[in-house]
Amino acid sequence: MAGLSPQITNLIIILGMMQVAKKIPFDDPQVLNLCRAVYIASNLIILSIYLYIKTVIDKKKDMTTLKYVEPAPMGSSEEGKLVTTTVHAYDVGQLKNLMRSQGMGVLMMGVMHLYFKYTNPLLIQSIIPLKSALESNLAKIHLWAQPAVGDLKRPFKQAAGFMSGLQSGPAQADKKAVEAAERAGRGGVKEE
């Protein structure tokens, strides 16, 4: 499955796990507790991956200046805002977004499982977020030591998703866009 996009592999995993979940006797308390334990272990592994990436980012402490034009909010008539930051600060911000996203997923799963009594998503949510954490741009750079070129060049391109057509465009880091934003005086405050 190395040549398939992450979205396609996620779909294959979801469809496969839905078939597996039909065969699992979730009414047996031991089986249910085992599924809960797998889900919790998966989230602890994800947290440890993110904490390891944080230590690698802090150890590298790459203070290279990074300038890019952040797109204007959807539906806004104003121009994009110039952001001047460092690679270290950018990576830490991206990692915080990943951790926040994972936390929201755990919260939603908790509501679905504990309040609405859904059990099947426990299996799927034990695999997909772990796969996503290992395939994230920060993991590719800091965990798998891939060079930050192409798709891994900062600022990262937003992954094409279901709602990507409704969102504003990607951040622009090309020299022309940055210089135009500097001349227009939009932003430019260095984030710490």
Side-chain angles (χ1 to χ4, degrees):
M1 283 202 252
L4 297 176
S5 73
Q7 291 90 354
I8 299 296
T9 55
N10 285 353
L11 185 62
I12 291 169
I13 290 170
I14 289 170
L15 293 174
M17 291 310 292
M18 285 172 61
Q19 297 305 312
V20 169
K22 288 180 182 177
K23 309 247 187 273
I24 295 177
F26 285 111
D27 43 338
D28 181 358
Q30 285 185 320
V31 172
L32 183 59
N33 285 335
L34 182 65
C35 287
R36 288 174 178 159
V38 168
Y39 177 74
I40 291 169
S42 170
N43 280 289
L44 290 174
I45 291 169
I46 292 168
L47 180 63
S48 64
I49 289 169
Y50 288 158
L51 291 176
Y52 176 74
I53 290 172
K54 172 81 167 99
T55 59
V56 172
I57 290 171
D58 287 341
K59 195 165 89 174
K60 286 182 183 176
K61 199 132 180 121
D62 187 353
M63 300 310 276
T64 306
T65 302
L66 176 66
K67 289 183 179 184
Y68 62 95
V69 179
E70 197 172 75
M74 172 83 181
S76 173
S77 61
E78 57 190 55
E79 300 274 336
K81 185 178 96 176
L82 176 67
V83 177
T84 304
T85 186
T86 62
V87 170
H88 177 264
Y90 181 80
D91 284 357
V92 168
Q94 292 295 308
L95 187 61
K96 282 182 182 176
N97 288 342
L98 288 173
M99 292 176 101
R100 187 178 307 121
S101 172
Q102 184 61 27
M104 290 300 293
V106 169
L107 190 66
M108 286 175 60
M109 187 64 229
V111 169
M112 285 175 59
H113 180 63
L114 299 174
Y115 185 73
F116 294 113
K117 307 292 185 213
Y118 289 128
T119 52
N120 293 5
L122 281 174
L123 290 175
I124 296 168
Q125 291 302 315
S126 298
I127 297 170
I128 298 292
L130 181 60
K131 177 182 171 288
S132 297
L134 292 171
E135 290 178 342
S136 70
N137 289 334
L138 290 176
K140 288 177 184 174
I141 293 171
H142 299 293
L143 194 62
W144 309 119
Q146 293 181 8
V149 294
D151 286 344
L152 298 179
K153 189 172 194 266
R154 295 168 186 93
F156 301 133
K157 294 178 181 145
Q158 292 177 344
F162 177 66
M163 302 292 278
S164 63
L166 300 175
Q167 298 170 349
S168 53
Q172 299 173 320
D174 59 287
K175 202 170 189 174
K176 186 177 176 184
V178 169
E179 286 175 355
E182 284 175 339
R183 279 194 304 277
R186 297 187 308 264
V189 177
K190 185 172 183 174
E191 293 180 2
E192 292 295 328

